[in-house]
Amino acid sequence: MKIAVLDDYAGAALRLADWDGLDVTVFDDTITDHDALVARLAPFDVICLMRERTPMSAARIAALPQLRLIVTTGPKNAAIDLDAARAAGVTVCGTPSRKTTTSELAVLMMLALNRSLLPEVAALHGDAGWQVGLGRDVAGLTLGLIGMGNIGAQMAALGRALGMDICAWSQNLTDARAAEVGVTRMDTLADLMAASDVASVHLVLSDRSKGLLDAAAFAAAKPGQVFINTSRGPIVDTPALLAGLRAGKPAMAGLDVFDVEPLPADDPLRAADLIAAGQLLLTPHLGYTTEATFTLFYRETVAAIHAWAAGAPIRVLT
């Protein structure tokens, strides 16, 4: 049984779990070309995925006749064609996941941007040698949450702990859910953007949410707004965001997710002027990449492989 572990950028898989007795090959890069990826994976019976880093489409599954098992980290993975896997006789299993990592990163980005942390660090180590500006307190500001699922609710609690007022909007948000979480429900996305000193996205990517944060949304942004997206890149219209940043609406943005990942070297989001000015903070999809989370992911991946090999697969995705 030959096992491939894909997209282990941090080199963590073998360190964090016991693969003893298993024939494992770990890949630390992402291949997007279909033919090249199929050639790489052709010898493997088991493929271990890290969330949605490498999609497993119907065409890709059909091109891998040796494949018998896919294990994805996390309890679901929208980038796997489960129907195609089932038709090909490929079992797909998931793992448990931790729940707090993304909200922690979103708060970190919010604080770093509002306090001008990176420009001040650069000033300390540059010609200025010391302070060059003033940051902004978040206590007393309004945090607007676009989405009110588990992560949105965590953000509401964290924002309140920092002394912020909290409002929220989503297409599905009800008065009852807003009252349950203790937030003010806004009628429209434009209303939320106009009221929010910080606007943070916490939605699932779907046909309804794709491109939701567009030019009209950013035009409605409150002056001085910090915009944060730690959910999925395509929820935001990237050209509209870049144009908005250059027009001052929003004033700053923090992005942890992108349309294409890893972010290409020539992507327009690598905007040197905005980054140098402290208007744009980019991080390489760190929302779930923590030691505790990856330990859980990889240990449960190994457990899923052993269970499948014993004829009793666990956490089968349907």
Side-chain angles (χ1 to χ4, degrees), residues 116 119 251-252 271-280:
S116 299
M252 291 177 278
D273 57 332
L274 296 174
I275 293 168
Q279 284 185 265
L280 182 59

Side-chain angles (χ1 to χ4, degrees), residues 43-237:
F44 294 98
D45 306 282
V46 180
I47 294 174
C48 303
L49 303 178
M50 176 53 69
R51 299 279 297 269
E52 286 114 17
R53 289 178 179 176
T54 293
M56 294 301 292
S57 64
R60 197 159 284 168
I61 292 169
L64 297 170
Q66 184 76 12
L67 182 61
R68 292 292 175 266
L69 173 67
I70 296 171
V71 183
T72 178
T73 56
K76 59 184 177 180
N77 186 335
I80 301 172
D81 189 321
L82 294 176
D83 291 334
R86 194 176 301 112
V90 177
T91 303
V92 182
C93 298
T95 75
S97 184
R98 297 178 71 251
K99 302 294 186 183
T100 59
T101 54
T102 301
S103 57
E104 290 178 5
L105 180 73
V107 170
L108 175 63
M109 297 182 89
M110 174 179 73
L111 294 173
L113 286 163
N114 277 285
R115 294 299 292 269
S116 299
L117 182 66
L118 294 186
E120 292 296 335
V121 169
L124 176 66
H125 296 288
D127 293 339
W130 200 237
Q131 302 171 13
V132 294
L134 298 175
R136 180 170 74 163
D137 306 85
V138 298
L141 299 185
T142 296
L143 171 60
L145 300 171
I146 303 166
M148 191 42 65
N150 291 332
I151 296 174
Q154 291 170 23
M155 288 294 294
L158 292 168
R160 275 194 296 272
L162 291 168
M164 305 181 79
D165 297 319
I166 317 295
C167 64
W169 174 88
S170 78
Q171 290 134 326
N172 298 323
L173 182 60
T174 63
D175 288 331
R177 173 61 174 166
E180 175 190 353
V181 182
V183 302
T184 300
R185 187 182 73 82
M186 307 303 286
D187 289 331
T188 67
L189 176 59
D191 289 342
L192 178 134
M193 293 294 282
S196 301
D197 299 291
V198 178
S200 189
V201 180
H202 302 286
L203 295 171
V204 173
L205 179 61
S206 67
D207 290 340
R208 284 202 307 170
S209 64
K210 187 174 183 179
L212 181 67
L213 276 299
D214 57 10
F218 293 122
K222 184 175 182 178
Q225 183 183 95
V226 169
F227 175 78
I228 296 168
N229 184 16
T230 55
S231 291
R232 288 293 182 269
I235 295 172
V236 177
D237 181 331

Side-chain angles (χ1 to χ4, degrees), residues 254-296:
L255 306 177
D256 186 49
V257 288
F258 309 95
D259 292 352
V260 177
E261 297 182 2
L263 187 66
D266 61 351
D267 194 284
L269 277 170
R270 294 185 185 268
D273 57 332
L274 296 174
I275 293 168
Q279 284 185 265
L280 182 59
L281 171 60
L282 306 178
T283 54
H285 205 150
L286 301 180
Y288 66 105
T289 58
T290 68
E291 189 87 2
T293 298
F294 273 43
T295 298
L296 177 65

